């Protein structure tokens, strides 16, 4: 079968496409014929050895996939060959077939494309876990989303809207904010031109945001925290700005704010049933037309370097999808 392989750490241009042996399903495992897989920003890091995980060589990038069950191993009864499924793996999906545990795949309902399903796990899974499991977001509450046009940021705007919240999208340019408005943002703040704390206070009538969703870090974190509502929730998603902020705890005390860490990867391992429930809910929302994930582009597997360079250059709006098999 065809696979994209990283044989040594380096730029996307060093990746190769080669033929490798097909996997064989062992006990409790399934082989999935990959119809679509997704790329994320961390894929640009993992191939350079700059990510928290450093797989053994050779490995394939991509952590999200969707496809058709090709074969099942002994003892597998929860899924059958021929079923449409999606799933998450830390890396390894950029190939024509993947080998995973049967417990790690989730059926795709009718009407949901492989391309959309392949891009749901990481950014949308992280966001639903953050809102539902960590912040207990309620309809009618106000959410401030930092980095609102980025990978998780756009998912945060979309899912907050689906959950009935009022969304204030915060980003660094008008074109990014226009994209956020197209996803359902009610109000926007350009924090490259406007003071974040003051504008958040102004747009909430002085009350502040009930939930702050922060995948950015850097200097904006403290300003957003200072604009959180009494007993608000501050969600720590990541540090796209590169700097991990130092938060004065007196702000947390004086506002009664809960600062909540969101480590989705660990949550998937510690609460697999909760993860499955969240994925099912996301797929249902897509099937019902309530959630319409934006796909930036679909590339053949042979153009993975082009796709990764687009992500690294931060030119992407939405999910980047690969098609390992010619259509």
């Amino acid at each position: 079968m065809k696979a994209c392989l990283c044989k040594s750490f380096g730029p996307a241009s060093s990746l190769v496409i080669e033929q490798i042996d097909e996997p064989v399903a062992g006990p409790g495992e399934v082989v999935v014929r990959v119809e679509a897989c997704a790329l994320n920003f961390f894929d640009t890091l993992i191939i350079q050895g700059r990510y928290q995980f450093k797989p053994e060589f050779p490995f394939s990038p991509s952590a999200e996939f969707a496809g058709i069950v090709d074969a099942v191993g002994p003892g597998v009864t929860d899924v059958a060959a021929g079923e449409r499924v999606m799933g998450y793996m830390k890396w390894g999906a950029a190939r024509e077939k993947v080998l995973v545990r049967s417990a790690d795949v989730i059926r795709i309902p009718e009407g949901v494309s492989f391309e959309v399903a392949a891009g749901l796990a990481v950014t949308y899974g992280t966001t639903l876990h953050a809102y539902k499991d960590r912040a207990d977001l309620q309809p009618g509450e106000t959410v401030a989303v930092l980095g609102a046009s980025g990978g998780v940021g756009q998912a945060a705007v979309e899912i907050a809207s689906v959950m009935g919240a009022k969304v204030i999208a915060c980003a660094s340019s008008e074109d990014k904010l226009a994209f956020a408005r197209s996803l359902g943002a009610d109000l926007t703040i350009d924090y490259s031109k406007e003071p974040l704390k003051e504008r958040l206070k102004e747009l909430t009538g002085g009350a502040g945001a009930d939930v702050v969703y922060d995948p950015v870090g850097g200097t904006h974190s403290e300003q957003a925290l200072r604009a959180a509502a009494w007993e608000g929730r501050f969600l720590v998603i990541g540090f796209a700005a590169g700097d991990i902020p130092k938060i004065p705890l007196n702000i947390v005390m004086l506002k009664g704010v809960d600062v909540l860490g969101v480590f989705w990867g660990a949550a998937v391992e510690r609460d697999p049933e909760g993860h499955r429930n969240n994925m099912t809910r996301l797929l249902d929302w897509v099937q019902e037309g309530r959630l319409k994930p934006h796909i930036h582009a679909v590339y053949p597997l042979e153009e993975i370097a082009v796709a990764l360079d687009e992500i690294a250059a931060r030119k992407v709006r939405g999910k980047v999808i690969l098609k390992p098999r010619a259509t």
Side-chain angles (χ1 to χ4, degrees):
M1 69 174 184
K2 183 170 59 178
C4 170
L5 299 178
C6 178
K7 293 187 169 183
S8 62
F9 291 132
S13 59
S14 67
L15 297 172
V16 297
I17 307 295
E18 291 186 0
Q19 292 290 326
I20 63 173
D21 292 337
E22 293 193 4
V24 177
E29 296 177 329
V30 298
V31 173
V32 177
R33 186 171 75 246
V34 179
E35 298 295 332
C37 59
L39 295 174
N40 294 278
F41 183 75
F42 61 74
D43 287 303
T44 70
L45 303 178
I46 198 170
I47 63 172
Q48 299 179 71
R50 296 170 52 203
Y51 194 53
Q52 58 185 314
F53 301 120
K54 292 180 173 58
E56 293 184 8
F57 299 119
F59 69 91
S60 297
S62 179
E64 305 171 273
F65 65 89
I68 300 171
V69 177
D70 193 63
V72 301
V76 174
T77 59
D78 51 346
V79 67
E83 290 192 289
R84 303 168 73 244
V85 296
M86 55 90 69
Y88 163 76
M89 52 203 301
K90 292 177 181 177
W91 59 82
R95 51 182 60 188
E96 288 187 302
K97 294 183 180 182
V98 294
L99 178 67
V100 294
R101 298 182 306 171
S102 66
D104 291 336
V105 299
I106 298 161
R107 290 181 182 85
I108 302 172
E110 291 299 319
V112 179
S113 70
F114 289 120
E115 291 81 5
V116 168
L120 280 180
V122 174
T123 55
Y124 290 88
T126 294
T127 301
L128 183 57
H129 167 62
Y131 285 152
K132 182 174 74 69
D133 303 329
R134 303 296 286 142
D136 190 26
L137 178 64
Q138 298 298 310
E141 291 191 310
T142 298
V143 177
V145 179
L146 308 190
S149 70
V152 289
Q154 69 144 29
V157 171
E158 293 175 275
I159 292 179
S161 297
V162 172
M163 295 179 72
K166 181 178 181 180
V167 181
I168 303 175
C170 310
S172 60
S173 68
E174 177 50 40
D175 67 311
K176 292 178 180 179
L177 294 175
F179 178 61
R181 286 191 290 271
S182 75
L183 300 173
D186 300 286
L187 300 166
T188 57
I189 298 174
D190 183 344
Y191 47 50
S192 70
K193 299 178 180 178
E194 303 173 278
L196 181 58
K197 181 186 74 171
E198 288 77 6
R199 283 293 286 153
L200 278 174
K201 286 281 195 178
E202 183 180 334
L203 293 177
T204 57
D210 299 298
V211 174
V212 175
Y213 184 100
D214 182 11
V216 178
T219 59
H220 299 304
S221 296
E222 183 178 333
Q223 295 303 305
L225 180 64
R226 288 181 180 275
W230 168 252
E231 294 188 343
R233 288 90 78 204
F234 187 96
L235 293 165
V236 182
I237 309 296
F239 312 101
D243 295 327
I244 299 176
K246 305 293 191 294
I247 298 296
L249 290 179
N250 64 311
I251 305 172
V252 176
M253 180 191 72
L254 294 172
K255 287 180 166 290
V257 172
D258 291 330
V259 178
L260 303 166
V262 181
F263 190 0
W264 177 78
V268 170
E269 295 180 357
R270 292 171 178 268
D271 184 15
E273 190 59 32
H275 165 65
R276 177 174 292 274
N277 291 338
N278 284 348
M279 289 299 102
T280 300
R281 178 175 294 193
L282 290 169
L283 288 164
D284 287 345
W285 282 345
V286 174
Q287 185 185 40
E288 295 163 3
R290 299 178 64 195
L291 184 63
K292 299 176 182 179
H294 180 77
I295 295 176
H296 174 78
V298 179
Y299 297 88
L301 184 64
E302 289 76 7
E303 294 182 21
I304 186 171
V306 176
L308 286 169
D309 286 343
E310 284 276 296
I311 295 172
R314 301 191 183 276
K315 296 179 180 179
V316 168
R317 298 286 183 271
K319 295 297 295 190
V320 172
I321 304 297
L322 297 175
K323 299 283 285 184
R325 305 168 61 85
T327 55

